Amino acid sequence: MASTRMSRWGADLYTGRKSYPIVQRRRWWYTLSGVIIVVSALLLIFKGITPSIDFRGGSEFIISGVSSTEQQPAIDAVHSVKPDEQVRVSVVGVASSSPSLRVQTSKLSSDQTTQAADALSKAYDGANVSSQFIGPSWGADVTNKAVRGLLVFLVLVSLVMTIYFRNWRMAVAALVALVHDMIITVGMYAGVGWEVSPATVIGFLTILGYSIYDTVVVFDKVRENNARLLDQKRYTHAELSNLALNQTLVRSINTSVVALLPVSGILFIGAFLLGAGTLRDIALALFIGIIAGTFSSIFIATPVEVSLRNREPAVAKHTRTVLDARAAAVEAGDLGEDGTVEVRVGAAVPGQHLGIAAQPKRRKGGRGAGRAS
Amino acid sequence: MFGALFAGAKWSNGTLVPKLALDLEGGTQLILQPVTRGNQQITDQDITQAIDIMRQRVDASGVSEAQITSQGSGQNRNIVVALPGTPSKETLDLVRQSAQMFFRPVLKIGAPAAGTPDKAAANLGTPANNSDPAWLTQDVLDTFATLDCTDPKNLSGTGNQSGDPAKPLVTCSKDGTTKYVLGPVDVYGKDLSSANSGLKTTQTGQLTNEWVVNLKLNASGTTAFRDASTRLVDLTSPRNQFAIVLDGLVISAPRMDSIIPNGQAEISGSFTRESAATLARQLNFGALPLTFTVQSEQQISATLGSEQLQRGILAGLIGLALVVVYSIFQYRALGFVTILSLAVAAGATYALIGLLSWTQGYRLSLPGVAGLIVAIGITADSFIVYFERVRDELRDGRTLPAAVSQGWSRAKRTILASDTVNFLAALVLYFLAVGGVRGFAFTLGLTTIVDLAVVFMLTHPVLALLAKTRFFAEGHRFSGLDPSALGARTRYVGRGRVVGPDEPAEGGEPERRLTIAERRAAANAGSGSTEGKDA
């Protein structure tokens, strides 16, 4: 049964029988995410983001005195002039007293505007179409205030994390992971080439919260495993942190699957199969962001935290002590099966009964061993 | 608690369905045409400033997520304000009314009630300046006497009551406690560049406990204000006061204590934090350089296509169904606890949103819906963290009730820490951001609280109760807490006895002691490898 296999896998990760050396191979992960970040940044620079009509303003057509308020013909009409355009149609006025349709698109050239007006008029049986430019609804002040709120949040969250974990390095590592997630999410979104609407921006903000949240959950286990770090001489900080990662691996997978399912439902089923364009931008931002957030809390946040804490004098000294003790064990010939010192990092488990065969026993038959003198 | 919420939602005029925002429901659209005084040109800056102030006005009244844009170009520009739902008259007035603000010198003050007119002084002559008592003609005094400021009808200010800037004005204070005769306009509201409230700082830069409103004037305002303050400062009371007239009513009439040469004035008095902020906001509204006429007022449908939204929600529901399948697959019977908790959380969130949309005018917008979708993940995560901890404790060989209480005390810390971070994000964004970001922050904060409440008041008690049932305590194969499936270890409990994963009884004497062979088999099965071989 798959579930049993998964829970047994979880058990092995918990006790350390199975362990993925994530912290130990951190340079590898740094390189990998460095490459992803560079790609994202390049996408961002060269492809750039396309702000939607809410940020830039655009063109607006008013089709007055329409007989039907069906919206699809308007969308089709605009698409005949400019395909891939995100068209917004709303009905102005009440149905009883000759309503008009308001069609909003991104800024069209004057040629396109004339063509679109013609197409729209044709689509609604020669109705009167007027066109004009409209300004952005998401003004600079909205952006400024959101950015200010964000900065205050980042400062506060660093303070809270520093107090809770009693260690500023954890806060720094969480922020590194956060920046990592933001660059990847925005870059990949730019790569897909969809326009950035206010909903997308909200999606990015959500990812910000999710990234920190996920990191805090993993860090809490790291903190717990390292609570008595300096009182023992068996494991290094890096090893205990890696154990925390392995122990929370099942949680991370389950959580991200549960968070991703509704989002991918909207993205894949909604946007691609049912053709619902309205929610697709926010769904895409969330989809990329949740994956990046889960990835970074495992492969970036904790390794960075370990790298940072290894510079802390107390931790560095402790690591040296542990490694020296191991080297001494090697010299003393206290080797494991494969010729190295065996270090199995896992949850402490009580000893178990190994069966009667493990007990000292008296040889049967023949003379007893007798007592020496 | 949930019952109370649902009941509350039910009583609230039957608004069981939360109100929706503009993008989902549609609303009322007003097209406002800006009108300048005289032949001034309308600049980009004017329009931007007007939109900012308009947004501030609407946000301050609690209506969430109005959409305010400019329309057209050049001198033919309009401002389009779309308000969700069917806005109340007060809300519409906020947008329709254009504030006009003037600074006028006070000539005469009286009690609010109507009275008998005074006799005007003889030989009035031509007034020498705006503060000259010669403005008090018999006409003005008659109007002053008949005006009744206790009548609410006279207290609803509109831009049209602002009077001729070059003539004296007889009017009431906004709260209806005082009656004024005011001289011609000294400083125009548009010359005010900004106003804000804060604690007074002394000349040495120390903060005091006194709330003040600070004004900053532009170049022409600075000159005008310097002249006015030079004139007023030596006059006797009440003529040393200047009145700030917004929409024809006096919102404040401070005394001029010194000459203000640099265009930076400070209004002090018995302000509270609240009243100082209110005055500053009123001043900012009044500084809007334009007035508006309403060109059209129409209903408008949702900006997002309704069919598309339905499809999107359907897709989201399919995703949710997948969540149900996945959690049952992963957690077996425990999955039902997850689903129950999620369902209760969803119900509570729904009820709260319904309640708030009734009492606070909150409206659910698309970003709000997005916040709710992500909330599924974050809420479910609390359960996942908790269940995984309980499983870890079981793996250590604890009995289920012990594992639940131990796992809970550890998971609690994690859940509290991570939810604090989330709530912090929501709080900061809610208070500092505007527009759509605010709606999102609101749902995020709401779901975080609901998540905590559900985990503490439902999931944990339910699991603690379930731990006592035989189905779970004996680790049934489908309970999701089967110790042997989780790989729990056989544990030596002393006196030659072991507690294997198959007998997680509460340490009591097993009915029959296992034979050695059985115990060894159990040990081997428990560790699941060859490690248990003879050492």
Side-chain angles (χ1 to χ4, degrees), chain B residues 31 61 76 104 293 330 367 369 412 471 474 516:
Chain B
I31 299 180
S61 76
N76 294 320
R104 289 171 181 260
T293 53
Q330 272 291 325
V369 173
K412 199 163 62 178
F471 179 74
E474 290 180 358
I516 291 168

Side-chain angles (χ1 to χ4, degrees), chain A residues 25-354:
Chain A
R25 300 239 174 101
R26 53 181 181 264
R27 280 176 206 293
W28 200 88
W29 295 114
Y30 290 164
T31 319
L32 177 69
S33 66
V35 169
I36 301 177
I37 284 183
V38 167
V39 169
S40 307
L42 286 179
L43 280 174
L44 199 58
I45 293 165
F46 289 109
K47 212 151 176 219
I49 50 172
T50 340
S52 74
I53 172 175
D54 304 88
F55 299 97
R56 289 182 309 171
S59 303
E60 181 181 85
F61 301 91
I62 302 283
I63 314 167
S64 40
V66 287
S67 42
S68 92
T69 53
E70 231 174 287
Q71 302 181 359
Q72 199 56 44
I75 299 173
D76 294 340
V78 176
H79 280 177
S80 69
V81 177
K82 195 178 177 195
D84 310 326
E85 177 65 46
Q86 284 264 359
V87 190
R88 294 179 199 180
V89 187
S90 25
V91 184
V92 179
V94 232
S96 54
S97 58
S98 76
S100 33
L101 280 181
R102 187 184 76 174
V103 182
Q104 293 181 333
T105 66
S106 63
K107 212 160 202 165
L108 300 177
S109 67
S110 54
D111 271 0
Q112 283 173 324
T113 310
T114 328
Q115 284 170 25
D118 285 348
L120 283 171
S121 175
K122 220 172 282 165
Y124 289 92
D125 307 325
N128 216 353
V129 177
S130 65
S131 68
Q132 57 198 331
F133 289 118
I134 48 165
S137 63
W138 178 294
D141 71 317
V142 183
T143 312
N144 290 341
K145 283 185 176 148
V147 167
R148 204 182 58 189
L150 215 60
L151 291 178
V152 172
F153 164 67
L154 290 181
V155 171
L156 273 180
V157 90
S158 315
L159 274 178
V160 167
M161 286 179 80
T162 308
I163 293 167
Y164 177 73
F165 292 119
R166 291 180 189 79
N167 196 321
W168 60 265
R169 289 177 170 87
M170 282 196 154
V172 171
L175 290 188
V176 169
L178 180 73
V179 172
H180 166 270
D181 296 346
M182 282 326 282
I183 295 177
I184 291 183
T185 311
V186 178
M188 290 294 161
Y189 192 94
V192 171
W194 289 355
E195 63 178 23
V196 173
S197 64
T200 321
V201 175
I202 301 286
F204 292 156
L205 285 179
T206 315
I207 286 317
L208 214 102
Y210 183 85
S211 165
I212 293 258
Y213 172 90
D214 208 49
T215 308
V216 168
V217 172
V218 175
F219 274 9
D220 204 47
K221 187 73 187 173
V222 173
R223 175 197 59 81
E224 192 185 305
N225 279 359
N226 284 302
R228 290 158 183 274
L229 172 71
L230 299 180
D231 297 343
Q232 53 84 40
K233 296 206 163 49
R234 192 180 284 262
Y235 307 120
T236 63
H237 173 73
E239 284 161 356
L240 287 176
S241 305
N242 193 53
L243 174 66
L245 280 187
N246 281 284
Q247 288 177 333
T248 49
L249 207 54
V250 173
R251 189 243 35 136
S252 297
I253 293 171
N254 280 350
T255 299
S256 54
V257 168
V258 166
L260 274 180
L261 279 177
V263 173
S264 24
I266 292 174
L267 184 63
F268 295 110
I269 306 175
F272 294 133
L273 289 180
L274 298 176
T278 34
L279 287 163
R280 68 169 198 175
D281 39 8
I282 193 162
L284 178 68
L286 290 177
F287 186 78
I288 304 171
I290 289 175
I291 293 176
T294 310
F295 173 84
S296 76
S297 58
I298 298 172
F299 296 103
I300 300 300
T302 310
V304 167
E305 195 261 351
V306 169
S307 295
L308 284 173
R309 281 206 74 182
N310 276 345
R311 284 159 207 257
E312 206 173 294
V315 174
K317 189 164 158 253
H318 176 261
T319 307
R320 227 174 306 128
T321 318
V322 172
L323 294 180
D324 285 353
R326 275 183 207 162
V330 171
E331 267 171 39
D334 190 4
L335 299 178
E337 283 164 25
D338 52 349
T340 56
V341 185
E342 234 187 319
V343 184
R344 187 169 120 189
V345 193
V349 263
Q352 57 176 319
H353 196 276
L354 297 175

Side-chain angles (χ1 to χ4, degrees), chain B residues 156-193:
Chain B
S156 59
T158 62
N160 311 333
Q161 293 174 5
S162 297
D164 188 340
K167 291 220 173 95
L169 178 72
V170 178
T171 187
C172 304
S173 66
K174 202 170 170 63
D175 53 7
T177 53
T178 328
K179 204 154 60 161
Y180 295 93
V181 182
L182 307 171
V185 174
D186 272 329
V187 181
Y188 289 90
K190 65 175 164 59
D191 290 334
L192 179 71
S193 16

Side-chain angles (χ1 to χ4, degrees), chain A residues 91 93 133 135 213 220 251 255, chain B residues 70 72 299 301 326 381 389 414:
Chain A
V91 184
F133 289 118
Y213 172 90
D220 204 47
R251 189 243 35 136
T255 299
Chain B
S70 69
Q299 280 185 9
S301 72
Y326 183 79
D381 183 57
R389 285 295 177 129
T414 309

Side-chain angles (χ1 to χ4, degrees), chain B residues 233-292:
Chain B
V233 79
D234 293 331
L235 293 172
T236 53
S237 181
R239 288 201 297 142
N240 60 355
Q241 295 182 359
F242 69 95
I244 303 169
V245 191
L246 184 69
D247 287 344
L249 294 173
V250 177
I251 52 170
S252 176
R255 194 176 64 235
M256 195 69 79
D257 281 335
S258 59
I259 298 171
I260 314 277
N262 56 1
Q264 302 211 4
E266 177 188 275
I267 306 176
S268 57
S270 47
F271 283 121
T272 60
R273 191 180 69 85
E274 203 101 309
S275 63
T278 308
L279 181 58
R281 206 169 55 227
Q282 283 172 331
L283 288 170
N284 276 326
F285 289 170
L288 194 59
L290 309 167
T291 58
F292 294 98

Side-chain angles (χ1 to χ4, degrees), chain B residues 2-21:
Chain B
F2 300 112
L5 281 176
F6 280 117
K10 250 188 191 133
W11 287 327
S12 57
N13 296 350
T15 49
L16 261 179
V17 182
K19 285 185 219 156
L20 297 175

